[in-house]
Amino acid sequence: MARNRASRRLAADVSLLAVAAAFALPLAWVLLSAVDPHAGLRVRVPDGLTLANFDAIMTPDITYTPLLNSLILCGGATALTVGCAALAAYPLSRFRSRLNRPFLLTILFATSLPITAIMVPVYALFVRVNLIDTLQGTILFFAASQLPFAIWLMKNFMDGVPTELEEAAWTDGASAAQSLVRIVLPLTGPGLAVVTVFSFVMMWGNFFVPFMLLLTPEQMPASVSINDFFGNRGMVAYGQLAAFSVIYSTPVILLYVLVARRLGSGFALGGAVKG
């Protein structure tokens, strides 16, 4: 019995190590190739270190403008998603109705719809309402595509806030909007952080949506412009591609670092509700 348990544990450890290696090898290639003057497809320790790859890409056309476009698109869409998700999740969490369950199931179904399946009608709609090739139109679609899952997540976090806190505020004359802003949202800080990080990361790495909805090269985000490193006839500037990938990943890492405390803090409800 003990031998079987040890064998299963060893098999689990080996499987986890294999999964970790599958994630670590591409990351190691990016970091090593970014400073390798002769970068290729293989993961290898460079013969010498150089910053020439970073110098080559640090231009407005290659890096600065695409990154700024990405920050505008993903930052605006994330803010819109989090705000709308909070407003939609609050009544679903606090007010009971026979329509709540069907609505939540509809939201859950919407999260499983692939974007590629609805892109053709969305493209036709955007052409008709003159939103094609506009940052604001892409922001609206980004937010709409992430909103179902964001509502689902936010509602689950709001369910963890005791209603007694709001009832006490209502007794003192607070409105539902005031209790949402002053009580529920501050106590769902981890939920806001999770929704923010998840939405931003999903939008930041999205290639298909801006590629379809944006036509002007000057408006393309970094997720699309990274394709420019793949030249004709299979020629790829691997060192510059790796350097751009390092810079491209930096905003996501910084966002996670900024909200890491909120992610691990949990709900600060200690002492707020007595017996």
Side-chain angles (χ1 to χ4, degrees), residues 40-71:
L41 279 176
R42 293 188 306 167
V43 179
R44 67 185 186 91
V45 178
D47 300 331
L49 302 180
T50 180
L51 296 179
N53 295 323
F54 289 94
D55 292 336
I57 66 170
M58 298 305 287
T59 64
D61 293 338
I62 297 178
T63 300
Y64 298 143
T65 300
L67 279 180
L68 178 61
N69 292 336
S70 291
L71 290 173

Side-chain angles (χ1 to χ4, degrees), residues 102-173:
F103 183 73
L104 288 173
L105 292 177
T106 303
I107 289 177
L108 185 61
F109 170 75
T111 61
S112 63
L113 287 176
I115 293 181
T116 53
I118 61 175
M119 205 64 228
V120 173
V122 167
Y123 184 89
L125 175 64
F126 273 44
V127 171
R128 177 159 298 189
V129 298
N130 295 322
L131 285 178
I132 199 70
D133 196 26
T134 61
L135 292 177
Q136 59 268 28
T138 308
I139 287 174
L140 289 175
F141 183 76
F142 262 147
S145 62
Q146 294 298 323
L147 194 56
F149 193 68
I151 293 174
W152 187 272
L153 279 178
M154 191 70 73
K155 191 260 181 189
N156 290 330
F157 279 104
M158 286 186 178
D159 287 343
V161 179
T163 57
E164 291 83 356
L165 299 176
E166 291 182 87
E167 292 172 355
W170 294 338
T171 303
D172 293 335

